[in-house]
């Protein structure tokens, strides 16, 4: 199949402008979506279960009469696990264990230290009480999304994890429920869309209110998450999936072709880019892609994605390749090169970095261990992968000794008066030892 994928050279006129145009992604929903989501969220906030049932019946083509029908019990999750193959159960359990083990290393302890004056300062780390996990539903199964969103929350010590997953036409995906059982989800509700986000954010008679909502969804889910932010925390507003492969021309071109396909098959807006200093190699990869795409079950999606947002970029050398990689700040960055350990030191912006020729991004999606919930659309410049730290909050600890309070008050008082905040100043001055303000106590 012929593929019309953009080809750039870093030396051509206007290259940077064309690259920026290719990377541009407007994650803001249009006015129609925003208005629809606003109405749904507000109705759920006001009417609770009644609105959730109404929207679930309308959008998911169900016939729910009572909100209790929306919940799936732990026993039902266990039964779903028994219905899938033993091989799939083993893979889910192995992946869950690896994700758990990796995130165990992210745990942050509380800490404190004592100053010479006796004042104690520190930080108390506390897990969130309750978290909501949104999982896409229907015939598209995303058990990996369950594991990646739930396991770090479990490691963090979150008290209760509520999962929501839509079941259009009443279709319940056993693989997703099995993953929920293995990951240790506490409660599952078969609702989706903006109504699910609103139910989690504000609570209903049946769905508990949560402290934070995580997990991917369509434009309605993303818009709803943006709207309820502030009432609850959210993980991020994610754009389409993306991969940037930097290759020196020595990796089997079939491998790289399939790595690029692995993101393009997500959806038509996904982005796959190859950067190489070897122009002949780029053509080899393109030839591999045109040959291998014929066997892909999602070839039409792949074709639209590659031709709409994909690119081959020829650069002068590896230094320039790394420079452009930092400019792109990709969700997934593959360094399919010699000595990746050397070059990774120069990478400043990437969601996840896959090092070497034997580390395809697909392994990270499922079972390597690090989280696959990653910043997209260039937000890796200031954002990080989902992790244990997203399910914990930090409180500052301050315990002043009499001498410590006196010393600090002498610093605070002039600053407070400089801001014309007299009560602040006097509150501090009362703690100054042997001061006239406090009577020399």
């Amino acid at each position: 199949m012929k593929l019309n994928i953009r080809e750039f050279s870093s030396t051509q006129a206007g290259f940077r402008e064309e690259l920026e145009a290719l990377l541009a992604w407007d994650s803001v929903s249009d006015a129609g979506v925003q208005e629809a989501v606003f109405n749904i969220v507000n109705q759920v906030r006001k009417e609770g279960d009644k609105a959730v049932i109404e929207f679930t019946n309308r959008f998911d083509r169900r016939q729910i009469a009572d909100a209790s029908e929306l919940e799936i019990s732990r026993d039902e999750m266990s039964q779903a696990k028994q219905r899938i193959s033993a091989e799939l159960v083993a893979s889910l359990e192995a992946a869950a264990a690896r994700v758990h083990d990796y995130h165990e290393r992210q745990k942050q302890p509380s800490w404190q230290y004592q100053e010479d004056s006796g004042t104690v300062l520190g930080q108390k780390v506390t897990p969130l009480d309750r978290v909501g996990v949104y999982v896409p539903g229907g015939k598209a199964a995303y058990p990996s999304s369950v594991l990646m969103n739930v396991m770090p929350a479990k490691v963090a010590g979150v008290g209760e994890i509520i999962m929501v997953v839509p079941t259009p036409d009443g279709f319940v995906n056993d693989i997703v429920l099995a993953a929920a059982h293995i990951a240790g989800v506490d409660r599952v509700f078969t609702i989706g869309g903006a109504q699910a986000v609103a139910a989690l954010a504000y609570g209903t008679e049946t769905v508990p209110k949560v402290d934070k909502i995580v997990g991917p969804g369509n434009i309605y889910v993303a818009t709803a998450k943006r709207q309820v932010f502030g009432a609850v925390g959210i993980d991020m507003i994610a754009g389409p999936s993306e991969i940037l492969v930097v290759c020196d021309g020595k990796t089997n071109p079939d491998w790289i072709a399939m790595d690029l396909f692995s993101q393009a098959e997500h959806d038509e807006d996904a982005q796959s880019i190859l950067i190489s200093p070897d122009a002949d190699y780029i053509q080899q990869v393109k030839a591999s892609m045109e040959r291998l795409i014929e066997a892909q079950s999602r070839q039409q999606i792949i074709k639209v994605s590659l031709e709409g947002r994909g690119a081959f970029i020829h650069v002068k050398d590896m230094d320039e390749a790394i420079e452009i990689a930092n400019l792109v700040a990709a969700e997934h960055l593959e360094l399919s090169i010699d000595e990746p350990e050397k070059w990774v030191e120069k990478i400043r912006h990437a969601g996840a970095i896959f090092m070497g020729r034997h580390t395809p991004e697909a392994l990270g999606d499922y079972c390597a261990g690090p989280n696959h919930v990653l910043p997209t659309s260039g937000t890796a410049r200031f954002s990080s992968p989902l992790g244990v730290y997203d399910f914990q909050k930090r409180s500052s600890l301050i315990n002043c000794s009499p001498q410590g309070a006196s010393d600090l008050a002498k610093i605070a008082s002039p600053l407070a008066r400089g801001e014309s905040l007299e009560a602040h100043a006097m509150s501090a001055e009362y703690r100054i030892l042997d001061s006239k303000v406090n009577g020399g106590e």
Side-chain angles (χ1 to χ4, degrees):
M1 178 185 293
K2 181 71 174 176
L3 293 172
N4 297 311
I5 304 173
R6 291 179 180 86
E7 297 186 33
F8 297 110
S9 170
S10 62
T11 59
Q12 70 189 54
F15 166 69
R16 290 300 175 97
E17 291 76 11
E18 289 194 55
L19 178 60
E20 288 180 9
L22 178 70
L23 298 175
W25 176 259
D26 186 2
S27 62
V28 179
S29 49
D30 63 32
V33 172
Q34 292 186 47
E35 182 180 3
V37 169
F38 179 82
N39 292 333
I40 292 170
V41 169
N42 281 342
Q43 191 168 334
V44 171
R45 187 176 186 181
K46 292 176 182 177
E47 300 180 4
D49 283 349
K50 178 184 175 184
V52 171
I53 292 170
E54 178 186 335
F55 289 126
T56 299
N57 287 341
R58 184 195 309 177
F59 297 133
D60 289 343
R61 300 169 299 280
R62 298 182 63 190
Q63 296 180 336
I64 299 296
D66 186 86
S68 62
E69 300 174 52
L70 295 169
E71 185 166 5
I72 291 179
S73 69
R74 286 283 298 174
D75 283 344
E76 290 175 287
M77 287 187 251
S78 178
Q79 292 167 17
K81 178 182 170 184
Q82 294 170 18
R83 286 193 293 267
I84 66 175
S85 71
E87 180 184 33
L88 191 48
V89 170
S91 289
L92 285 171
E93 291 177 340
R98 292 186 62 86
V99 174
H100 184 279
D101 185 55
Y102 178 88
H103 287 85
E104 275 284 345
R105 290 161 170 77
Q106 291 183 341
K107 290 170 71 173
Q108 298 177 335
S110 299
W111 53 266
Q112 56 183 253
Y113 64 93
Q114 186 171 23
E115 297 182 324
D116 292 341
S117 66
T119 292
V120 175
L121 303 174
Q123 180 173 271
K124 182 177 184 295
V125 178
T126 309
L128 301 183
D129 289 336
R130 183 184 289 134
V131 166
V133 176
Y134 189 99
V135 177
K139 294 183 179 179
Y142 295 101
S144 60
S145 182
V146 177
L147 300 182
M148 294 294 179
N149 283 278
V150 174
M151 297 312 298
K154 296 293 288 187
V155 171
V158 171
E160 186 177 22
I161 299 174
I162 310 297
M163 188 176 102
V164 293
V165 56
T167 55
D169 300 306
F171 179 84
V172 179
N173 195 297
D174 284 343
I175 305 175
V176 168
L177 293 186
H181 187 269
I182 290 168
V185 171
D186 295 292
R187 299 179 71 182
V188 175
F189 294 93
T190 58
I191 54 177
Q195 61 271 24
V197 174
L200 291 172
Y202 300 112
T204 71
E205 300 90 330
T206 301
V207 181
K209 177 181 178 179
V210 302
D211 301 309
K212 190 168 190 174
I213 301 172
V214 301
N218 62 20
I219 190 65
Y220 290 91
V221 172
T223 303
K225 285 170 70 176
R226 190 189 298 272
Q227 183 173 323
V228 301
F229 176 65
V232 292
I234 61 173
D235 49 355
M236 63 184 75
I237 304 296
S241 191
E242 58 200 34
I243 187 172
L244 173 64
V245 179
V246 175
C247 187
D248 53 15
K250 300 177 185 178
T251 305
N252 186 324
D254 284 3
W255 293 10
I256 299 301
M258 204 57 65
D259 292 352
L260 296 169
F261 285 171
S262 72
Q263 292 309 296
E265 73 172 349
H266 273 292
D267 62 67
E268 291 85 349
D269 293 320
Q271 186 161 67
S272 300
I273 298 175
L274 169 64
I275 298 178
S276 179
D278 188 330
D280 289 338
Y281 179 75
I282 289 176
Q283 296 307 312
Q284 292 174 38
V285 172
K286 183 177 181 182
S288 289
M289 294 171 78
E290 293 182 337
R291 173 172 48 83
L292 293 171
I293 193 172
E294 297 291 352
Q296 298 301 303
S297 60
R298 298 170 70 87
Q299 63 176 258
Q300 192 55 39
I301 293 175
I302 292 172
K303 185 175 189 294
V304 173
S305 169
L306 291 172
E307 294 186 342
R309 303 196 70 221
F312 297 123
I313 301 176
H314 178 237
V315 293
K316 293 180 294 185
D317 51 32
M318 282 299 302
D319 283 308
E320 188 176 45
I322 298 301
E323 178 188 348
I324 294 174
N326 281 320
L327 179 66
V328 174
E331 177 189 16
H332 306 103
L333 172 63
E334 284 189 13
L335 297 179
S336 192
I337 55 179
D338 287 337
E339 300 182 286
E341 298 83 2
K342 164 190 167 184
W343 292 101
V344 76
E345 296 301 320
K346 298 185 178 183
I347 296 297
R348 300 190 311 280
H349 309 306
I353 306 171
F354 300 81
M355 301 165 61
R357 307 187 198 284
H358 296 276
T359 316
E361 182 278 329
L363 298 183
D365 268 351
Y366 296 105
C367 58
N371 211 288
H372 79 194
V373 180
L374 303 166
T376 63
S377 305
T379 59
R381 292 178 293 107
F382 53 81
S383 299
S384 305
L386 188 73
V388 170
Y389 32 77
D390 290 294
F391 300 99
Q392 295 175 324
K393 53 191 177 67
R394 293 162 295 283
S395 302
S396 301
L397 298 176
I398 308 170
N399 184 357
C400 290
S401 66
Q403 185 62 55
S406 181
D407 294 343
L408 291 175
K410 294 173 184 177
I411 299 171
S413 175
L415 294 173
R417 293 192 182 279
E419 295 182 351
S420 299
L421 297 175
E422 185 178 3
H424 280 68
M426 293 184 67
S427 173
E429 290 164 359
Y430 280 165
R431 272 72 177 185
I432 296 177
L433 297 175
D434 300 321
S435 72
K436 294 180 180 179
V437 175
N438 66 16
E441 294 180 5

